Amino acid sequence: MPGFILHLTAAQMLLKHLPPHPDFPYPISSVNDFLIGNLLPDATQQKESSHFRDPLYREKMMVFPDLTRFTAKYRSLLPDSSALGYYFHLYIDRKFFKDFIPQIVEFYNADGEITDMRDEIATVYIKKSRTFIPFSRYLTDEYYYGDYTKMNTYLINRYCIPLDLTPNVTNPGIAEIQYEDVQQVLDLLHRFLSVPPEAAQDLKVFPLEGLLAALEQYIEEFLAVPNKYIP
């Protein structure tokens, strides 16, 4: 998943476009609730369900939300700020894993062939540094997750991300998550300030400005007319 702070970064980017954006159908009445909604899909261990993933693809490395599964069930809830935030989280996840990650890494099996099946991956090619690493080192604090840690303080400062959000948000009817579970995420947020902002200049996997530019592009697409992401 993109980290909690990266999701809040995307949410802050979207808020800067609103208001006014005359063609966007859902005004955000509560910034707090919208930001809480952006955290909710990850406030559970049952992420396949909370992210509306198709179980047929669970063996793939890049498994992303099926947005139509959410809108088919909860389209009527989207005027609620937290539900819209929840949906926006799913949208960012889909764009991140489907479009962005393939631009920055490639996955290879033991025979040196590109694969998208998690159990087949032996090595990862990181385009930023033009290096191959064993897959066992990729999803670690040394590489992928370590980059999130290095980015957090920089992103919080650059995008003025509020960390003291109010968790008391009413669930409008999303059955896949218990809204009160977001408290466990909020309890973690201040711990993400453990590294200095300049650490973001030493990322191993993510090209920082390229990532932020991609998020801006995805937000423009999210707000586009006719809107293909919010029926």
Side-chain angles (χ1 to χ4, degrees), residues 60-64 92-108 114-116 124-128 138 144 205-207 211 214 218:
K60 290 184 177 292
M61 182 62 192
M62 295 294 105
V63 185
F64 37 80
I92 290 297
D93 267 12
R94 181 177 178 85
K95 297 294 288 185
F96 184 82
F97 290 118
K98 185 174 185 291
D99 297 342
F100 184 70
I101 290 295
Q103 295 177 19
I104 65 170
V105 298
E106 292 174 345
F107 303 104
Y108 289 83
I114 288 181
T115 181
D116 64 351
V124 181
Y125 179 66
I126 300 176
K127 297 182 182 181
K128 185 174 190 284
Y138 175 62
Y144 184 89
V205 177
F206 296 101
L211 170 59
Y218 302 153

Side-chain angles (χ1 to χ4, degrees), residues 158-210:
R158 177 169 172 174
Y159 292 96
C160 302
I161 296 171
L163 301 182
D164 296 314
L165 299 172
T166 301
N168 300 321
V169 178
T170 300
N171 187 341
I174 298 175
E176 286 74 15
I177 190 72
Q178 299 297 316
Y179 264 45
E180 58 267 26
D181 289 345
V182 78
Q183 183 65 61
Q184 63 187 340
V185 177
L186 297 179
D187 291 342
L188 293 173
L189 293 184
H190 285 281
R191 300 183 193 177
F192 295 151
L193 293 167
S194 61
V195 298
E198 52 269 22
Q201 305 307 315
D202 187 32
L203 305 183
K204 290 191 174 182
V205 177
F206 296 101
L208 179 60
E209 293 304 322

